[in-house]
Amino acid sequence: MDAKTRKSNITRVYNKTIANMQALGTFQAEFEASVRRYSELRIQYDILMDKWYDEGCKITESYTNKFGAENERKTALYLSLETLRKELIEMENLFGLTP
């Protein structure tokens, strides 16, 4: 995704989030910076989700530790998605956008 498309997507999410908050009566001007950060995180999440699907939705991978034992661990991409998902849900709760 190029910079122009990314910025356009961030603006789209930003405007939609504010519109949703206004419809619910939860928007205040003081939230604008937080909504901007939320919009950026949403685009990051979407980019990582696309990459995750492109890579076959791999959740775990094998690795060998320093003692030579082979183990399974969550992939870095999946861990990033988990973290972003939690942050987005937390922000949506704060904005009053969850049921």
Side-chain angles (χ1 to χ4, degrees):
M1 176 183 310
D2 64 21
K4 185 176 180 180
T5 302
R6 186 173 55 252
K7 186 173 182 177
S8 173
N9 288 344
I10 290 169
T11 300
R12 178 183 47 79
V13 171
Y14 175 83
N15 290 336
K16 180 68 174 168
T17 303
I18 287 178
N20 288 340
M21 291 174 72
Q22 288 172 333
L24 293 168
T26 61
F27 180 75
Q28 295 179 23
E30 295 82 11
F31 293 144
E32 286 183 11
S34 296
V35 172
R36 174 71 57 194
R37 280 191 301 275
Y38 169 79
S39 302
E40 292 168 353
L41 285 176
R42 275 279 310 277
I43 297 308
Q44 290 173 19
Y45 180 80
D46 291 345
I47 291 168
L48 290 177
M49 280 299 292
D50 287 343
K51 184 175 181 180
W52 187 62
Y53 282 119
D54 289 345
E55 294 181 3
C57 301
K58 193 172 179 185
I59 296 172
T60 61
E61 62 188 358
S62 295
Y63 81 102
T64 304
N65 68 18
K66 63 183 177 182
F67 301 109
E70 191 169 307
N71 299 296
E72 286 286 314
R73 67 177 175 193
K74 290 182 180 179
T75 65
L77 180 56
Y78 188 76
L79 287 170
S80 296
L81 286 168
E82 278 187 331
T83 300
L84 280 173
R85 190 177 296 121
K86 288 175 188 174
E87 290 178 26
L88 289 168
I89 289 171
E90 183 178 314
M91 293 181 88
E92 289 165 358
N93 281 332
L94 292 171
F95 295 155
L97 297 174
T98 56

